Amino acid sequence: MKTARAIARANIALAKYWGKSDRVLNLPAVPSISITLDGFETDTRVTFDPRFHRDTLVLNGRRATGDKARRAIELLDRVRALAGLAEAARVESRNSFPTSSGLASSSSGFAALAAAASRAAGLRCTDSKLSALARQSSASAARSIFGGFVELKKGRKGEHALAARPVASPDHWNIRLVVAVTTDKEKEVGSTEGMERSRKTSPYYERWLEEAPTWAATVRRGIRSRNLSLVGEAMERSTLAFHACAMTSSPPIVYWRPATLGALRAVWTLRDGGTAAYATMDAGPHVKVLCHARDARRVSQALRRTDGVRAVVVAKAGRGVEVYR
Ligand code: DP6
């Protein structure tokens, strides 16, 4: 029996990835930059055993099937091929936050799975190799291998080994991401499907590809110089532009709920009042607000008062993946 456990943390992109240049290798068409979040953890154990007849995946105590299981098994297959292993696996995974609702559970999920599966299979992978392995399953997962602030470049043609890399450590900058949870339902259109639909049908998609690298460069510069308004303004433009692509797809993809707009307005009102707070939304209705640590309480209070906001969680930058036997 070969077993290992890994803990990975979700990340939220400050400059968004939306769109692929290669679906088979899962290469992003734009660069992205994220913050790995403390506390938003996926804890995964992988066990390979010759007595198992097939791969099983238990997610938050329930047997997973369908697309989720298929994607996990594809990752296990890649690990088995690298390790020359034929044994089936049991995967047990738990999230400390809602799954598949735009809280980036696939980022921590595939990062933890890549790390636990490769260690269980006896592979000795560098973080960069783990990141490339996780990226093939879900590009945002490549970023969760690392802690703090992390970038994933856009993929060049045939770039099998594309991996994320750290931009700055978790303690580089004392900022917070305040997460306003608006629903605990699973999202209707997954990001993989959503970005493909945008690529095929949104009239704004080409323009998104042109503009996104500039926002990513600004976000990177702002992180390095700890300049919140520089990061925040580029971050909001990046998220609004990707949502514009999603909304103008056919059929349209609208991830927002009334509470999303309410929270966005609350952030802009805070800003009018002199608090540096900036919003970002992923493929779901939640709003994540970037602010200085000293303003996190004020931002949380404003979000808690917003109609439809069910919970508010304050996160700081977290560590990269950790692997245990
Ligand atoms: C909106 O990484 O979930 O959260 O590579 O198809 O698995 P796949 O997509 P995924 O997309 C994340 C999209 C996003 C923005 C981001 O995290 O950069």
Side-chain angles (χ1 to χ4, degrees):
M1 196 169 88
K2 305 174 183 69
T3 185
R5 174 182 169 217
I7 295 179
R9 293 156 190 90
N11 71 73
I12 297 297
L14 309 177
K16 301 296 184 197
Y17 145 56
W18 193 251
K20 300 174 196 292
S21 57
D22 182 323
R23 273 184 298 161
V24 177
L25 295 180
N26 201 34
L27 296 175
V30 294
S32 59
I33 302 192
S34 58
I35 176 171
T36 301
L37 298 184
D38 189 41
F40 284 67
E41 292 178 356
T42 301
D43 185 336
T44 300
R45 177 169 287 284
V46 176
T47 306
F48 292 100
D49 191 318
R51 289 168 300 179
F52 296 159
H53 295 298
R54 67 173 76 86
D55 294 325
T56 51
L57 172 66
V58 180
L59 194 56
N60 296 318
R62 283 183 158 184
R63 180 77 178 267
T65 51
D67 195 47
K68 267 189 202 121
R70 179 187 57 76
R71 288 176 75 167
I73 291 168
E74 283 171 6
L75 202 165
L76 293 170
D77 285 342
R78 284 195 286 274
V79 169
R80 278 187 286 250
L82 286 169
L85 196 71
E87 297 165 21
R90 177 177 170 84
V91 178
E92 282 173 279
S93 189
R94 268 190 189 281
N95 286 336
S96 65
F97 56 94
T99 303
S100 294
S101 58
L103 277 176
S105 59
S106 77
S107 66
S108 51
F110 287 111
L113 182 60
S118 30
R119 176 64 69 87
L123 294 171
R124 286 270 161 210
C125 293
T126 59
D127 282 350
S128 181
K129 188 118 191 249
L130 280 182
S131 175
L133 190 60
R135 189 213 77 241
Q136 276 182 270
S137 295
S138 186
S140 58
R143 301 183 310 233
S144 274
I145 296 297
F146 300 98
F149 303 86
V150 183
E151 86 180 314
L152 179 64
K153 298 263 193 227
K154 84 176 205 189
R156 292 190 306 264
K157 203 171 160 28
E159 198 178 5
H160 289 266
L162 177 72
R165 57 181 185 215
V167 170
S169 67
D171 56 9
H172 163 74
W173 193 14
N174 196 19
I175 52 157
R176 296 291 181 270
L177 202 71
V178 182
V179 180
V181 179
T182 57
T183 170
D184 49 18
K185 291 210 185 71
E186 296 214 358
K187 62 191 167 196
E188 283 148 24
V189 183
S191 12
T192 309
E193 187 194 333
M195 61 181 82
E196 270 307 286
R197 200 187 292 173
S198 295
R199 180 177 71 81
K200 288 184 193 144
T201 63
S202 169
Y204 297 163
Y205 183 74
E206 288 303 318
R207 192 62 201 271
W208 157 254
L209 295 187
E210 282 167 34
E211 296 289 337
T214 314
W215 296 318
T218 306
V219 165
R220 189 189 311 108
R221 210 153 31 91
I223 290 169
R224 292 225 163 103
S225 59
R226 301 185 189 90
N227 182 332
L228 184 56
S229 62
L230 196 61
V231 173
E233 275 162 30
M235 178 183 91
E236 281 193 359
R237 294 192 73 183
S238 166
T239 194
L240 292 171
F242 116 67
H243 279 281
C245 279
M247 288 179 193
T248 49
S249 301
S250 175
I253 309 162
V254 181
Y255 288 115
W256 297 7
R257 294 290 155 102
T260 313
L261 208 50
L264 194 53
R265 288 259 158 235
V267 170
W268 288 343
T269 304
L270 279 169
R271 215 148 79 218
D272 289 344
T275 304
Y278 298 86
T280 187
M281 288 79 65
D282 290 280
H286 313 299
V287 178
K288 297 107 184 182
V289 183
L290 193 68
C291 65
H292 289 298
R294 61 173 180 272
D295 292 329
R297 256 173 80 100
R298 181 177 313 145
V299 171
S300 307
Q301 279 164 357
L303 292 170
R304 279 201 187 94
R305 282 197 299 268
T306 302
D307 275 350
V309 170
R310 297 162 65 114
V312 176
V313 186
V314 179
K316 54 184 184 192
R319 295 193 297 274
V321 72
E322 293 157 327
V323 190
Y324 310 91
R325 266 282 167 213

